[in-house]
Amino acid sequence: MARNIFSALFSGVILALALTSSNAQSSDATNVVIANNDPLIYYNGRWDATPETWWVGSGFKLHVDNLSSLTLNLGPYTSAPVELGISVNYGNFTALNATQGANTIPLGDLASGTSSVIRINSVGWEDNHMNLESIELNAGAQLLPYEPSKLAIQFIGDSLSAGQYLPNGVDQAWPFLTSEYFKAEHNVQAQPGIALSDILSYGNVHGMSYQFFQTEDTQYYYDAMHNYTTPWDFARDYPSATHVVCMIGANDSGNNVTASSFYQVYIDFLARVRLIYPTQPLFIILPWGWPSPDGPPAPYYVGIYQQVVNYRQAFGDKNIYLVNATGWVDYSDVFPANLHPTVAGHEKIAGLFESWLEDWGLVAEPEWSTPA
């Protein structure tokens, strides 16, 4: 079924659905029940057919008229618990631990008779499965179309992008912060410990060169209820990414993958990525390295990232760019125990990347496409 529950439909069809009674909605004297296959739910990230979330940041967005209460009914595939990020009317995301069953979502004070935008995502870098069964709204509420932003950024990475060790996970990580700054939709395919090379790496049974093309992240291997992978249909990403950002390689280095092997894997990976995103700007980040308390950060694969970009450009790819993040992070920006960026460190990285993108020519949307 084209785009199924995972993508917004064309605006004309969406409007028609909003103005008529959806078969997926029912109401009684106390609430309005939204089935998980209602086409007015705007799903983002990667969900399987259950539907159950995979990868950090996967979730959904609702545009609701006359909203005063919202309950999520979550099914048995839900992690126990799953940490969710909740944003009301594009406000800051706050954390909520949810479990199987009914979960009341805090909404704060909403003006009566107006429309609201609610964004909910799964923020953890592990145990991040949200299995949506249905949504309950207050009596008199009506689900409206959500119009996605004209910008959509695809991020590819490892723990340095996934928000590992942050209190609110990916919602405090630089990819998410960057997307919010530009008022862009985003997908984050990032997994702690994962290498680009398709090798066993810190518990990940596959590398990103395999896993990026799957619905599931590498946690599938340890999931007794879903221990298999299914290819991801990139047509479900709506809108398709307008920009692609990739920062990876720390775990290849940690597993002693040679520079020549890493180079070849990266070249092959980008060739496959370009089959999906043939013309979109592609930003390859040269990582900041591992900070040290008594010296400059330790780099890895020196010169290789530039060689990868040079190869693609020589091949005829004129829309690929090297982002040199050397010097962006020092020891004061990381947790000393694991050298991963702190909340403040991620904010610093996001600010530097936002400035880089603006100098490149990216302009933030003046407002979100769906008004609140």
Side-chain angles (χ1 to χ4, degrees):
M1 183 165 54
R3 289 182 177 157
N4 200 4
I5 65 173
F6 301 94
S7 304
L9 301 177
F10 293 109
S11 57
V13 177
I14 284 288
L15 183 59
L17 286 167
L19 296 175
T20 59
S21 297
S22 170
N23 292 332
Q25 299 185 28
S26 62
S27 64
D28 55 32
T30 59
N31 57 36
V32 176
V33 179
I34 310 296
N36 62 22
N37 64 346
D38 193 299
L40 295 183
I41 300 174
Y42 179 85
Y43 285 89
N44 66 277
R46 295 191 182 177
W47 296 70
D48 64 25
T50 309
E52 171 191 359
T53 56
W54 298 88
W55 301 94
V56 295
S58 295
F60 61 90
K61 298 164 188 182
L62 303 174
H63 184 204
V64 189
D65 190 41
N66 197 34
L67 177 66
S68 60
S69 69
L70 191 158
T71 298
L72 298 186
N73 296 313
L74 302 182
Y77 292 89
T78 300
S79 299
V82 59
E83 184 180 351
L84 302 180
I86 314 294
S87 169
V88 178
N89 291 335
Y90 303 111
N92 292 333
F93 278 74
T94 57
L96 172 73
N97 281 340
T99 58
Q100 180 181 351
N103 298 267
T104 300
I105 304 301
L107 300 176
D109 296 326
L110 297 177
S112 177
T114 62
S115 66
S116 303
V117 173
I118 309 300
R119 299 182 294 169
I120 299 176
N121 63 2
S122 178
V123 305
W125 57 89
E126 60 184 358
D127 300 326
N128 54 10
H129 303 297
M130 170 175 40
N131 173 204
L132 183 63
E133 289 190 333
S134 65
I135 300 168
E136 294 184 23
L137 309 176
N138 55 283
Q142 181 183 11
L143 200 56
L144 303 173
Y146 173 86
E147 178 67 26
S149 172
K150 297 177 179 63
L151 295 177
I153 308 176
Q154 170 70 63
F155 294 91
I156 304 169
D158 50 34
S159 60
L160 300 173
S161 302
Q164 189 174 23
Y165 306 119
L166 299 181
N168 292 343
V170 75
D171 284 356
Q172 293 176 309
W174 66 269
F176 181 84
L177 298 176
T178 300
S179 300
E180 289 290 283
Y181 177 82
F182 286 101
K183 294 182 176 61
E185 309 295 343
H186 69 278
N187 286 330
V188 182
Q189 270 53 66
Q191 185 78 12
I194 199 168
L196 179 61
S197 305
D198 192 18
I199 58 174
L200 178 64
S201 176
Y202 305 109
N204 295 283
V205 295
H206 283 291
M208 190 63 77
S209 57
Y210 169 84
Q211 208 70 43
F212 178 71
F213 304 98
Q214 306 303 309
T215 300
E216 298 80 5
D217 57 42
T218 59
Q219 294 178 90
Y220 84 88
Y221 185 81
Y222 305 98
D223 189 338
M225 300 177 75
H226 189 124
N227 59 353
Y228 55 88
T229 65
T230 52
W232 178 246
D233 178 4
F234 285 88
R236 289 158 113 181
D237 292 336
Y238 179 76
S240 180
T242 59
H243 300 77
V244 181
V245 179
C246 187
M247 188 180 81
I248 202 164
N251 298 307
D252 297 80
S253 176
N255 283 283
N256 299 313
V257 174
T258 65
S260 60
S261 178
F262 179 70
Y263 169 82
Q264 189 60 53
V265 169
Y266 216 148
I267 291 297
D268 294 343
F269 177 66
L270 292 183
R272 293 188 67 190
V273 167
R274 273 304 192 209
L275 295 177
I276 303 163
Y277 310 113
T279 60
Q280 287 87 334
L282 176 55
F283 304 105
I284 305 300
I285 297 184
L286 192 164
W288 49 80
W290 294 111
S292 169
D294 52 9
Y300 42 88
Y301 297 126
V302 176
I304 296 300
Y305 294 93
Q306 182 65 68
Q307 290 177 32
V308 168
V309 172
N310 290 345
Y311 174 87
R312 288 296 313 173
Q313 290 175 339
F315 189 73
D317 190 341
K318 303 305 182 184
N319 216 9
I320 185 170
Y321 307 90
L322 183 73
V323 181
N324 189 347
T326 302
W328 284 14
V329 176
D330 59 36
Y331 197 67
S332 66
D333 301 316
V334 300
F335 297 110
N338 53 55
L339 302 183
H340 285 66
T342 61
V343 172
H346 276 278
E347 291 172 349
K348 177 182 175 182
I349 295 162
L352 290 167
F353 189 41
E354 289 155 13
S355 295
W356 192 99
L357 288 171
E358 287 178 326
D359 290 342
W360 174 82
L362 187 60
V363 177
E365 290 293 290
E367 56 188 16
W368 292 98
S369 297
T370 300

